[in-house]
Amino acid sequence: KKITFFFLLFASVASVTWAVYSYLYVKELDNNKKDSSNLGDPSKGLEKDNRNDASDDPSIAPSPSTIESLPQTMTPNLRITFSPGAASSDITDSPFSLGSEIPISSPIFPITFPPAPLTQPSFYPSTIPTSFPKNHPTLVPTGSPVTTPPTNAPTTGRAASIRKIILGISDIDKLNDGVSPQSRALRWIIEDDARSLSANDPLLVQRFSLACFFYSTGGGSDGYDNTWRYSTNWLSAKHECEWVEVAENGLARGVWSCDNTGYVTKLQFPQSNLVGTLPNEFYELRSLAYMNFYGNSLSGTISFMVEKLTALKYLLAPRNMLYGILPESLYTLTNLQKLVLFENELEGSILSDIGGLTKLQELKLAGNKLDGTVPDSLFQLTNAIHISLEQNDLSGTISSTICSLWGGYLSSFVTDCATSPNSSSLPEVNCPCCSSCCDELGVCVQQRSMDAITIFP
């Protein structure tokens, strides 16, 4: 009987203990779920993610840490509270009561549970999804954060596309050297220009060409007077047609005008402290009809690429330091009405091709180093009003065919057809029909009265 009694007592205690621990186990699972939903311990959340992934996706094997956390003999992570002063013998009778909390890693005596399922019981309500995304968040970033660049920051695609376009008009070595006007203009277009044109913008080449002009004529140089840059809004975010300053007297400096499509047609920089050369890219301003660079310090040659300026009517660059010959391509600009280049250092001869510039009204090449003879083809300039060729090294006789221009619009024709009073040499040019003749000292004397010249309306 005693054996039976103790057996039944042991069985009863075991049954009660089993029920209590089962209840606590389920309650602990519920607490863990709530902790996970409330952003509890990140490591527990990750551990649950891994466990659920292993159960939901057969292609993912449980990690060793997951397997170790699920032994056949469970030792649940329980929190048992003891009443102060409770004896150990009272634990089985009243194991849990309000009081000081003492965490333990295992119960008082081992209890063997059946293998725990890898998934949560389906009967137990849960606010946590039974499966988790396969790409788990990590506590440590796996790489640099991805940020969106500002709108005016260069992107590889845009920069490469713009560079490809610019390579069609600029020398690659100049674009690559980092300090040339071309390189600086390209960098400004790609990195600094707040307008941020795309490679497909039809005005990209124009904006780049004007930037090259700025950097080639002293813009951006240390110690250089850049007042015209700021007063004309040059290299600002505004459209190129707004890069202009209008003085109180109405005279403009900068981009004087554009056509209705936004292409520059007039550039005016009289006495603006420009110094340097006109870059080849300047001649990409294909719609340019008027350019006035009077009284600056521009040097270099007139490029053969001037032939690209087919719309050019006024080429005004007197009192600079241009040198070299007048290129043959200059004579192809059949729309030219004024070619004014006096007081430079141009040399060579005037080609007979000048006769093709039939719209020319003013031809002013005085004060250079031109030599040779005055070509007879000059008589073809039937619209000429002013021709000044003095203070050069020209020679020969002006033919009667050229003198026939007096029957047209011509009002002044000046050459080196005189000598100083104390000189015993003959004049360099024999001109029976010049309105004024100048000597080797630059003194000019009027030869005929303008009143006697008939000017056709």
Side-chain angles (χ1 to χ4, degrees):
K1 291 181 179 180
K2 290 182 178 180
I3 294 173
T4 301
F5 172 77
F6 284 107
F7 177 79
L8 292 175
L9 178 62
F10 177 80
S12 298
V13 171
S15 298
V16 171
T17 304
W18 170 264
V20 170
Y21 275 93
S22 296
Y23 170 77
L24 294 176
Y25 178 71
V26 172
K27 187 174 182 180
E28 182 68 9
L29 290 177
D30 183 55
N31 290 335
N32 289 341
K33 293 175 185 178
K34 291 180 179 180
D35 291 342
S36 298
S37 64
N38 292 327
L39 300 178
D41 185 356
S43 62
K44 290 182 180 180
L46 293 175
E47 185 175 318
K48 289 186 179 182
D49 289 352
N50 293 334
R51 184 165 62 248
N52 281 316
D53 277 337
S55 62
D56 293 342
D57 191 349
S59 65
I60 302 176
S63 65
S65 61
T66 304
I67 297 175
E68 290 174 3
S69 66
L70 297 172
Q72 295 299 315
T73 302
M74 300 295 293
T75 58
N77 183 19
L78 304 179
R79 186 177 293 277
I80 302 178
T81 59
F82 294 85
S83 298
S88 61
S89 59
D90 298 333
I91 294 177
T92 55
D93 296 331
S94 181
F96 308 107
S97 63
L98 295 175
S100 60
E101 296 186 353
I102 304 175
I104 61 175
S105 60
S106 62
I108 303 303
F109 46 86
I111 300 176
T112 303
F113 289 159
L118 295 178
T119 58
Q120 308 300 334
S122 60
F123 65 88
Y124 198 85
S126 173
T127 58
I128 302 176
T130 57
S131 63
F132 294 87
K134 297 301 182 289
N135 295 325
H136 312 297
T138 58
L139 298 179
V140 180
T142 56
S144 301
V146 178
T147 58
T148 303
T151 55
N152 64 338
T155 59
T156 302
R158 173 176 173 268
S161 298
I162 289 178
R163 182 178 175 84
K164 184 177 180 180
I165 297 295
I166 300 305
L167 278 173
I169 63 172
S170 288
D171 182 77
I172 187 172
D173 292 333
K174 292 181 179 179
L175 291 177
N176 290 338
D177 71 5
V179 296
S180 69
Q182 291 78 8
S183 176
R184 297 171 70 186
L186 180 60
R187 185 164 58 249
W188 176 78
I189 284 286
I190 294 176
E191 300 178 8
D192 301 327
D193 183 10
R195 203 168 184 84
S196 297
L197 298 185
S198 70
N200 298 324
D201 196 299
L203 298 178
L204 172 67
V205 170
Q206 172 174 277
R207 200 166 178 86
F208 170 76
S209 299
L210 291 173
C212 281
F213 166 72
F214 169 74
Y215 287 115
S216 294
T217 55
S221 300
D222 293 338
Y224 177 71
D225 181 8
N226 280 325
T227 54
W228 68 269
R229 171 188 179 182
Y230 303 110
S231 61
T232 61
N233 300 312
W234 209 266
L235 295 195
S236 69
K238 295 183 177 181
H239 191 283
E240 306 90 87
C241 296
E242 298 181 74
W243 291 356
V244 61
E245 171 194 28
V246 180
E248 294 181 358
N249 58 6
L251 294 178
R253 181 169 63 168
V255 178
W256 192 357
S257 69
C258 293
D259 61 19
N260 56 9
T261 60
Y263 288 100
V264 174
T265 58
K266 292 183 179 181
L267 276 180
Q268 177 148 302
F269 281 95
Q271 297 179 315
S272 299
N273 297 317
L274 302 186
V275 58
T277 62
L278 293 180
N280 286 341
E281 291 78 9
F282 176 84
Y283 301 101
E284 296 298 329
L285 303 175
R286 307 294 185 94
S287 297
L288 193 62
Y290 178 99
M291 52 187 288
N292 181 0
F293 297 132
Y294 168 81
N296 288 283
S297 298
L298 294 176
S299 59
T301 62
I302 300 175
S303 172
F304 69 93
M305 298 181 73
V306 71
E307 65 184 357
K308 293 184 177 183
L309 304 181
T310 56
L312 194 61
K313 296 180 180 179
Y314 286 40
L315 198 171
L316 313 177
R319 292 182 178 169
N320 281 276
M321 295 183 291
L322 300 175
Y323 57 83
I325 65 171
L326 297 175
E328 292 184 24
S329 55
L330 179 66
Y331 302 111
T332 66
L333 303 181
T334 55
N335 286 312
L336 268 183
Q337 296 177 14
K338 293 187 178 183
L339 179 58
V340 181
L341 297 170
F342 63 82
E343 296 185 21
N344 279 281
E345 298 178 15
L346 299 171
E347 56 189 16
S349 59
I350 301 175
L351 300 184
S352 60
D353 296 343
I354 197 170
L357 305 180
T358 56
K359 297 181 181 180
L360 206 59
Q361 298 173 4
E362 292 188 14
L363 176 63
K364 296 184 176 181
L365 301 175
N368 283 283
K369 300 177 181 179
L370 299 174
D371 55 24
T373 60
V374 177
D376 286 345
S377 59
L378 218 61
F379 82 93
Q380 296 175 260
L381 306 182
T382 55
N383 289 296
I385 298 175
H386 302 286
I387 300 176
S388 62
L389 304 175
E390 72 275 15
Q391 298 179 36
N392 281 287
D393 295 323
L394 297 171
S395 60
T397 299
I398 302 299
S399 66
S400 58
T401 55
I402 297 177
C403 290
S404 66
L405 291 174
W406 285 107
Y409 298 98
L410 192 64
S411 63
S412 66
F413 184 17
V414 185
T415 65
D416 294 325
C417 50
T419 59
S420 61
N422 298 327
S423 175
S424 59
S425 61
L426 296 175
E428 294 181 353
V429 177
N430 180 19
C431 182
C433 58
C434 284
S435 59
S436 296
C437 287
C438 301
D439 61 24
E440 66 275 14
L441 300 179
V443 178
C444 299
V445 179
Q446 184 173 328
Q447 299 296 307
R448 56 189 297 172
S449 173
M450 295 298 102
D451 297 335
I453 301 174
T454 301
I455 305 297
F456 293 177

